[in-house]
Each structure stands twice: as structure tokens, then as C-alpha cells.
């Protein structure tokens, strides 16, 4: 199409002539070159002018066989100005292309559009100014994901680390906030179709969708119990006629750049960590101990046909800066808090 794009703008036939030329492709494979396409004032002999007109005509004819003739016409006929867009021009040339009147372009766009679903409650709360959500979280940049916290601990959602009040690692000018592992980085192994930040409730929600079921994952740091972090899984198979099950991904960190590991206790139902910062901020400060205990998610969750299920996973986090004094240990404080949350001591 380069000869059509460069040089002097060709003089093109009027609208009815162009439509007749486009309709010719339905009758035969060879098309006559309209006289107007050879009227290109670029100098040279008559043979070159006819050759250039044939190239432009062929650029229109061949794509027309594939159903995209209007694109080539728009390139080879820049002088055409009917005040109508590409879709109207294409539909006008093929008024009987589909029985429903829908153009081929509409059908292609509809077929390529991914299936999206978000809860109706999100839409209602969004209209009320209580919630923001994205229906395309896969393309949401990491730095645009919401921050989550309760004043004692906080993180940016999706990160493997969180930060605790007053917990630093490093000496003097090299001191920085210590990276504590997020205790519950749990999600279903499926397609996430939405993420929401609820301002009123202080929670982040994700929805994972299957053909007959969906799972809503809700994460928050408790406000009344600042040492408690919670992840809920709401499994909805109410429209399914068969049992539904899904696998769970658990991304608890096992290496801690800012901490030395004192103990790592993992049982079937729970895991407890006892950590200590590697460097104090000054000779007068002590190293800080951090302990967390959390519920282990099951590798697979199942629910019967037409049923719903709610799974509650929680974790407790304590540090030597806020553990009650006198106290046996920071780890004991975390174990007691975790057990008081209904998970049972590890």
C-alpha cells in the first residue's frame, strides 16, 4: 500500500461508484480497475499511472475477500469524505451481511471480549461511594493495588512483606523498616475477575470465577484486635448441580532478609514463626523479637451441589516492643492471641 500512501492524493470516485466497486467482489475474482484510480497526477508516462492505479485497486480487492475491504479503501482513498465512519461504510456496503444486522466487526469484538463478573454488592457500594473495584485486576500495576493496615501493621496488598509499628532493622543511618512476612498470602488457583477496596469496612476483596461457582476472598487487619490478620473465603456453589472443589495457593515466605529465624514450628493446622532482627539501630537499643502464628489453609476446599461455605483463616502477630510485661516470651503471646481467635493453640 506504500504507493497509495505516498505522493499526491488520488482523485476518488463518488460514494455510489465506490460501493459498486466493493460489491463486485461478491460476483467474481477479477475486478475492473475504476478509471478514477488511474487519475493520479504524479508525473511519468501513462503506463506508470495505470500501474499505480492497479496496485491501489488490488490492495482494496484482496482484503475485501477476507471481509476487511473498507480498511484498504480508507488507505487508498484518503480523499473520500462522506462524514461516515469505518463501521457505517462497511455496513452500508454489505447491508445483508448478517440476519440480525450486526456487523462482522461487532461479532469479532464480542467474541474477543473476555468474560468478566463482579458481585452486585460491589456495584451498589461503588455507586454509594463506599467501594472502588477493578474488573481487570490482572493488568493492574502492583503500585496501584490498595494499601491495607490497622495502625499496628500494614502492607500493600499482594506483597509478601508487611511492616509493624516500631520494628526496624539496621544500624544508625542504614536502619529501615523490617520486612515481616505477611502471614496469609492465600488465594484460590483460578481466574481472578475482580478486586475491590472497601473504604467503609477497611477490607480488600477478590473474586475468582468458575462456570458454575465463584469464590470471594476477603482480607483485612482487625481494628478492634490490632494483632489479628484475617483472610476469609466465601465459596458459592448455589447454582451448581455438581460438587465443586478448587486448589489453594499458599505463599508464606520462608526466607527473611531482615530477620534471623529463632524457630519455625509447622503443624498440620497451624504454623508459628519466631524471628529476631539482625542489627539494632544503636548500641543502646536491643534487637527486636517478632512472633506470628497462623492457620494453615487446606490444599483443596470442596462444597456440595447448591451449597455455600465460609472458611475463616486468621493469624496473630506480636513483637517484643508491645508484648505484655512480665511475659514468658513473644512467641507465647502470639500463641495465646492465636488460640483466643478460635484457631486453637499450635
Amino acid at each position: 500500500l506504500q504507493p497509495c500512501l505516498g505522493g499526491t492524493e488520488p482523485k476518488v470516485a463518488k460514494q455510489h461508484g465506490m460501493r459498486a466497486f466493493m460489491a463486485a467482489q461478491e460476483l467474481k475474482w477479477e475486478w475492473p480497475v475504476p478509471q478514477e484510480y488511474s487519475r493520479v497526477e504524479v508525473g511519468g508516462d501513462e503506463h506508470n499511472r495505470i500501474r499505480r492505479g492497479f496496485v491501489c485497486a488490488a490492495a482494496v480487492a484482496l482484503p475485501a475477500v477476507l471481509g476487511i475491504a473498507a480498511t484498504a479503501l480508507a488507505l487508498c482513498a484518503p480523499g473520500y469524505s462522506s462524514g461516515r465512519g469505518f463501521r457505517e461504510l462497511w455496513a452500508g456496503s454489505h447491508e445483508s451481511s448478517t440476519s440480525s444486522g450486526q456487523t462482522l466487526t461487532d461479532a469479532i469484538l464480542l467474541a474477543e471480549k473476555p468474560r468478566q463478573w463482579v458481585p452486585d454488592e460491589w456495584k451498589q457500594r461503588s455507586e454509594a461511594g463506599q467501594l472502588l473495584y477493578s474488573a481487570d485486576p490482572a493488568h493492574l500495576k502492583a503500585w496501584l493495588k490498595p494499601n491495607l493496615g490497622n495502625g499496628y501493621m500494614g502492607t500493600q496488598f499482594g506483597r509478601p512483606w508487611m511492616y509493624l509499628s516500631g520494628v526496624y532493622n539496621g544500624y544508625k543511618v542504614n536502619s529501615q523498616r523490617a520486612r515481616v512476612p505477611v502471614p496469609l498470602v492465600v488465594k484460590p488457583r483460578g481466574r481472578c475477575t475482580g478486586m475491590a477496596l472497601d473504604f467503609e469496612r477497611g477490607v480488600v476483596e477478590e473474586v475468582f470465577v468458575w462456570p458454575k461457582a465463584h469464590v470471594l476472598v476477603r482480607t483485612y487487619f482487625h481494628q478492634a484486635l490490632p494483632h489479628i490478620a484475617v483472610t476469609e473465603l466465601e465459596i458459592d456453589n448455589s447454582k451448581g448441580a455438581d460438587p465443586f472443589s478448587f486448589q489453594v495457593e499458599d505463599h508464606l515466605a520462608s526466607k527473611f532478609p531482615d530477620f534471623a529465624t529463632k524457630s519455625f514450628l509447622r503443624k498440620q493446622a497451624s504454623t508459628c514463626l519466631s524471628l529476631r532482627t539482625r542489627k539494632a539501630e544503636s548500641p543502646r537499643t536491643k534487637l527486636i523479637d517478632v512472633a506470628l502464628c497462623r492457620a494453615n489453609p487446606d490444599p483443596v476446599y470442596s462444597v456440595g451441589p447448591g451449597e455455600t461455605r465460609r472458611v475463616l483463616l486468621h493469624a496473630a502477630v506480636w513483637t517484643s516492643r508491645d508484648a505484655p510485661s512480665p511475659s514468658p516470651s513473644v512467641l507465647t503471646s502470639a500463641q495465646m492471641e492465636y488460640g483466643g481467635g478460635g484457631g486453637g493453640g499450635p
Side-chain angles (χ1 to χ4, degrees):
L1 298 178
Q2 185 62 31
C4 309
L5 298 175
T8 307
E9 195 174 74
K11 299 179 182 178
V12 187
K14 293 183 179 180
Q15 182 175 348
H16 67 277
M18 184 176 295
R19 288 184 177 177
F21 175 70
M22 292 175 62
Q25 58 89 16
E26 299 177 356
L27 302 177
K28 55 184 179 179
W29 283 88
E30 296 181 357
W31 299 274
V33 179
Q35 186 176 7
E36 287 77 8
Y37 279 97
S38 64
R39 297 177 184 175
V40 182
E41 301 297 336
V42 294
D45 54 22
E46 186 69 19
H47 174 75
N48 291 334
R49 289 195 297 272
I50 294 176
R51 180 182 178 184
R52 176 165 181 159
F54 179 80
V55 171
C56 292
V60 175
L62 293 178
V65 178
L66 303 176
I68 55 173
T71 304
L73 279 173
L75 293 174
C76 290
Y80 178 75
S81 177
S82 64
R84 305 203 309 163
F86 166 76
R87 181 169 298 182
E88 289 79 4
L89 175 63
W90 192 93
S93 302
H94 302 271
E95 294 177 356
S96 61
S97 59
T98 59
S99 59
S100 63
Q102 183 185 34
T103 67
L104 180 60
T105 305
D106 288 331
I108 293 175
L109 292 176
L110 183 62
E112 293 180 349
K113 184 178 180 181
R115 179 172 58 90
Q116 299 289 348
W117 182 85
V118 296
D120 292 336
E121 184 184 11
W122 286 10
K123 300 176 183 179
Q124 297 170 1
R125 294 182 64 78
S126 177
E127 292 176 357
Q130 299 168 331
L131 178 147
L132 284 178
Y133 72 88
S134 169
D136 190 16
H139 294 86
L140 192 64
K141 296 183 182 299
W143 57 273
L144 290 175
K145 293 184 178 180
N147 293 319
L148 192 63
N150 62 359
Y152 176 74
M153 50 186 169
T155 186
Q156 186 173 32
F157 190 76
R159 303 283 187 180
W161 311 109
M162 67 179 183
Y163 303 101
L164 303 179
S165 176
V167 179
Y168 291 82
N169 179 64
Y171 185 68
K172 292 187 177 180
V173 296
N174 294 322
S175 176
Q176 62 180 5
R177 293 179 302 171
R179 290 164 289 183
V180 180
V182 174
L184 295 170
V185 187
V186 177
K187 62 177 59 180
R189 185 172 295 175
R191 188 169 68 92
C192 180
T193 64
M195 176 184 292
L197 172 62
D198 194 312
F199 301 116
E200 182 183 27
R201 298 169 180 170
V203 303
V204 175
E205 295 180 336
E206 294 177 290
V207 63
F208 295 78
V209 175
W210 286 262
K212 296 292 184 179
H214 69 269
V215 178
L216 183 70
V217 181
R218 180 180 298 113
T219 303
Y220 56 93
F221 294 154
H222 209 287
Q223 295 293 322
L225 303 173
H227 297 272
I228 296 294
V230 180
T231 292
E232 301 177 14
L233 285 75
E234 292 186 0
I235 310 166
D236 190 337
N237 192 34
S238 57
K239 298 181 180 179
D242 300 314
F244 168 68
S245 63
F246 63 93
Q247 294 180 321
V248 172
E249 296 179 355
D250 182 12
H251 298 289
L252 177 65
S254 58
K255 296 182 179 180
F256 319 109
D258 295 326
F259 292 93
T261 304
K262 296 177 62 179
S263 63
F264 194 121
L265 307 175
R266 184 178 183 91
K267 296 184 179 181
Q268 182 177 1
S270 62
T271 298
C272 283
L273 294 175
S274 179
L275 310 173
R276 175 172 289 176
T277 54
R278 296 181 183 274
K279 293 183 180 180
E281 291 185 273
S282 73
R284 295 179 296 177
T285 59
K286 297 180 180 180
L287 296 174
I288 301 175
D289 290 337
V290 174
L292 66 86
C293 291
R294 64 138 209 182
N296 294 331
D298 294 342
V300 177
Y301 287 103
S302 302
V303 64
E307 296 180 354
T308 61
R309 180 183 177 186
R310 181 169 176 252
V311 177
L312 178 65
L313 304 171
H314 74 285
V317 182
W318 279 83
T319 76
S320 56
R321 293 179 60 90
D322 48 42
S325 181
S327 173
S329 68
V330 177
L331 179 59
T332 301
S333 299
Q335 291 172 331
M336 294 174 60
E337 183 90 27
Y338 172 81

